[in-house]
Amino acid sequence: MSIRSLFSARRPIDRPIEKVIDYYATDEKRLLAEIEEYEVTDNVERCFRKFLDTFGDGVRSGHVTEIGVWVAGFYGSGKSSFTKYLGFSLDRGRLVGGRPFLDLLCERLGSAEIKAGLRTLATQFPAAVVFLDLGSEQLADTSSAPVSTVLYWKVLQWAGYSKEKKLAELELTLEARGLTAKFLQAYREKFADDWEKVHNDPLIGVARAAQVLPSLQLKEFPTPESFRGLRFEEAADLRDRARRIIELVRRKSGKENILFLIDEAGQYVAPSGDRILNLDGLARNLKELGQGKVWIVATGQQTLAEIVEKAAHNSAELNKLRDQIGRAHV
């Protein structure tokens, strides 16, 4: 008997296996292949149990000391797959081949206790789950942006708003004033097409929106040029940004509990004291505003303690961050 025939009795040994797990790879065929290859070790099960205990206490009672979980591990250790599958399992709407992703993950788990815990949380305390991969995020002008800014724009995209910042703010403004339906109708009448087809286009979208807005008789945009020439300035208040993030996710999802999964956070914040402070401030504001119902799970190739040790000039800021989200270490 050949080695190939020995191992191929279960599965073909020349089947493609993903080397890197990507948060944004959500095609059903790929997801099914990923979860079928997922090997749950004893350590992984311990991490699931620890998360369920920590997160479960928060969403049940709202009384927690911190709302952050730091998942540390070297490249290829499985931190991205752990957090991705955890998030997908808690998202009741995530289906693969017509089956809840939760069922597929439970088939890989050995512990009946963990399976029951996951099912209980997903059923009794449903959460809106938002993924952000700081290692591959390609939003414009975010190479040095604070984590809160990148997360805010990712939440807008998750909620269906334009990827173009200026157009996203326009859509938010129209929605807040109850003018969305009127704008969409005016756009159809003028261009015989749907706004959604161009709302991500920074050139055509902006140009066409500018032509439609005067018909809404908004004092801010009396002429096409008044919108086309508008310079967009982002608000800098971190607490207001955190509040808008929470309100937007809850309004769009209809769920009180929110789970933000942020991959490669360690590499992103470690070189910059400002980014570290921003992540710390974001966690503090989400804790105060979310009342134990809004959580951050972040990953890094090093533990927070190791980052502090290797970045002495940032040690004060990093220690604050470690105190804020490092206590629920996985």
Side-chain angles (χ1 to χ4, degrees):
M1 179 180 290
S2 67
I3 293 178
R4 175 180 290 273
S5 62
L6 178 65
F7 284 94
S8 294
R10 182 168 178 261
R11 280 185 208 172
I13 63 175
D14 55 357
R15 67 191 183 280
I17 300 176
E18 295 294 338
K19 296 180 181 179
V20 177
I21 299 302
D22 184 349
Y23 270 14
Y24 301 151
T26 57
D27 174 76
E28 287 195 8
K29 186 176 180 180
R30 175 166 174 177
L31 276 179
L32 183 60
E34 282 187 19
I35 195 63
E36 285 180 344
E37 297 290 348
Y38 193 44
E39 296 296 331
V40 181
T41 64
D42 291 342
N43 182 60
V44 168
E45 286 208 335
R46 283 193 295 270
C47 290
F48 272 113
R49 181 178 288 107
K50 189 171 184 179
F51 173 83
L52 292 175
D53 290 342
T54 305
F55 180 72
D57 286 345
V59 296
R60 287 187 182 94
S61 67
H63 302 298
V64 290
T65 56
E66 303 300 343
I67 49 81
V69 178
W70 188 269
V71 182
F74 56 84
Y75 180 81
S77 62
K79 57 188 181 298
S80 295
S81 57
F82 170 76
T83 50
K84 178 179 180 178
Y85 303 153
L86 176 64
F88 280 5
S89 68
L90 293 175
D91 182 355
R92 296 288 303 280
R94 179 66 61 178
L95 302 177
V96 178
R99 298 183 62 196
F101 188 88
L102 172 60
D103 291 349
L104 299 176
L105 177 60
C106 285
E107 289 176 357
R108 311 302 301 165
L109 296 168
S111 168
E113 177 188 357
I114 295 175
K115 293 179 185 180
L118 271 174
R119 293 189 186 280
T120 297
L121 274 180
T123 302
Q124 297 182 8
F125 305 94
V129 183
V130 180
F131 291 87
L132 172 63
D133 183 352
L134 289 172
S136 63
E137 189 57 58
Q138 296 299 311
L139 290 171
D141 303 322
T142 58
S143 59
S144 61
V147 175
S148 63
T149 299
V150 185
L151 179 61
Y152 174 66
W153 290 109
K154 176 53 63 177
V155 165
L156 286 178
Q157 291 181 27
W158 168 87
Y161 296 98
S162 174
K163 294 180 181 179
E164 169 63 27
K165 295 179 180 180
K166 186 173 178 177
L167 294 178
E169 286 296 332
L170 171 63
E171 291 172 335
L172 283 169
T173 300
L174 293 173
E175 186 176 82
R177 298 185 184 184
L179 294 173
T180 300
K182 188 174 180 180
F183 173 83
L184 295 179
Q185 180 60 32
Y187 183 89
R188 284 191 210 97
E189 292 174 356
K190 187 170 185 64
F191 297 105
D193 207 350
D194 292 328
W195 166 246
E196 287 74 15
K197 293 182 180 179
V198 300
H199 84 137
N200 287 322
D201 192 311
L203 296 178
I204 297 176
V206 170
R208 289 190 174 182
Q211 295 179 57
V212 173
L213 283 172
S215 68
L216 301 185
Q217 297 181 338
L218 295 172
K219 63 180 180 180
E220 294 91 346
F221 308 117
T223 67
E225 181 56 34
S226 58
F227 177 73
R228 196 162 38 234
L230 180 69
R231 296 181 63 85
F232 174 74
E233 298 291 340
E234 292 188 74
D237 185 85
L238 182 54
R239 188 173 184 83
D240 181 60
R241 175 61 50 86
R243 181 182 289 106
R244 294 186 72 181
I245 287 173
I246 294 173
E247 290 175 351
L248 183 57
V249 174
R250 285 179 169 168
R251 177 159 49 87
K252 287 295 182 179
S253 69
K255 297 171 182 174
E256 183 180 15
N257 302 313
I258 304 172
L259 180 62
F260 295 111
L261 295 165
I262 305 178
D263 204 18
E264 300 298 348
Q267 287 181 285
Y268 191 82
V269 304
S272 167
D274 288 340
R275 287 189 222 166
I276 292 164
L277 286 174
N278 181 264
L279 180 56
D280 169 64
L282 176 64
R284 283 190 287 107
N285 280 292
L286 292 180
K287 173 190 172 183
E288 294 170 12
L289 297 170
Q291 296 295 303
K293 308 291 186 180
V294 182
W295 286 69
I296 294 179
V297 177
T299 74
Q301 293 187 23
Q302 299 167 304
T303 66
L304 285 173
E306 289 170 336
I307 296 176
V308 169
E309 187 176 334
K310 293 187 177 182
H313 63 289
N314 285 334
S315 59
E317 291 87 351
L318 279 163
N319 274 308
K320 293 178 183 177
L321 177 60
R322 180 173 58 183
D323 290 342
Q324 188 64 30
I325 71 172
R327 294 176 183 174
H329 224 84
V330 170

